[in-house]
Amino acid sequence: MAACRLLEQLADEDAVLALRENAAAVPEGGALLLVEQVEGADGIELDTEAALHHLRLKAAFGSGVRTEGDFERIAALAGLRVAARRDIGWDHRLWELAPAR
């Protein structure tokens, strides 16, 4: 199962719920693939456009561009663990999330 920019417009509590619901649909041995913009991805701090995007998300939804630690905390609260991650460019990261069980 895969999702792209699923969490950016969701506050943390709603992001946890969305991940939990998606994880419930993952078959045994499967994984949830998630692509999200991440603060500090590619080893680069937010540029001007990314910073403005962060402020818009923060003001409108209470979310903002999250850090790697934010994503790992949200995944753990949803009962998931990070099986793998890699930067894919333009401040985005691909996360492979698996059930923590």
Side-chain angles (χ1 to χ4, degrees):
M1 176 170 276
C4 185
R5 297 180 78 162
L6 170 73
L7 307 180
E8 76 175 8
Q9 294 182 4
L10 300 175
D12 287 354
E13 298 80 20
D14 294 327
V16 169
L17 180 61
L19 283 180
R20 191 175 293 142
E21 289 175 348
N22 279 277
V26 174
E28 184 68 32
L32 174 63
L33 300 179
L34 180 68
V35 173
E36 294 286 339
Q37 185 176 10
V38 178
E39 183 179 322
D42 302 320
I44 301 170
E45 294 305 313
L46 293 179
D47 62 17
T48 303
E49 182 60 34
L52 289 173
H53 184 61
H54 171 75
L55 290 173
R56 286 191 287 273
L57 290 171
K58 197 69 152 167
F61 306 107
S63 56
V65 177
R66 292 182 171 97
T67 65
E68 179 176 339
D70 293 334
F71 280 107
E72 291 184 4
R73 178 181 49 79
I74 289 168
L77 290 170
L80 297 165
R81 65 178 174 78
V82 177
R85 68 175 92 52
R86 77 169 195 243
D87 292 341
I88 57 174
W90 291 352
D91 301 331
H92 285 71
R93 182 168 291 160
L94 170 67
W95 304 86
E96 181 182 336
L97 304 174
R101 31 183 151 115

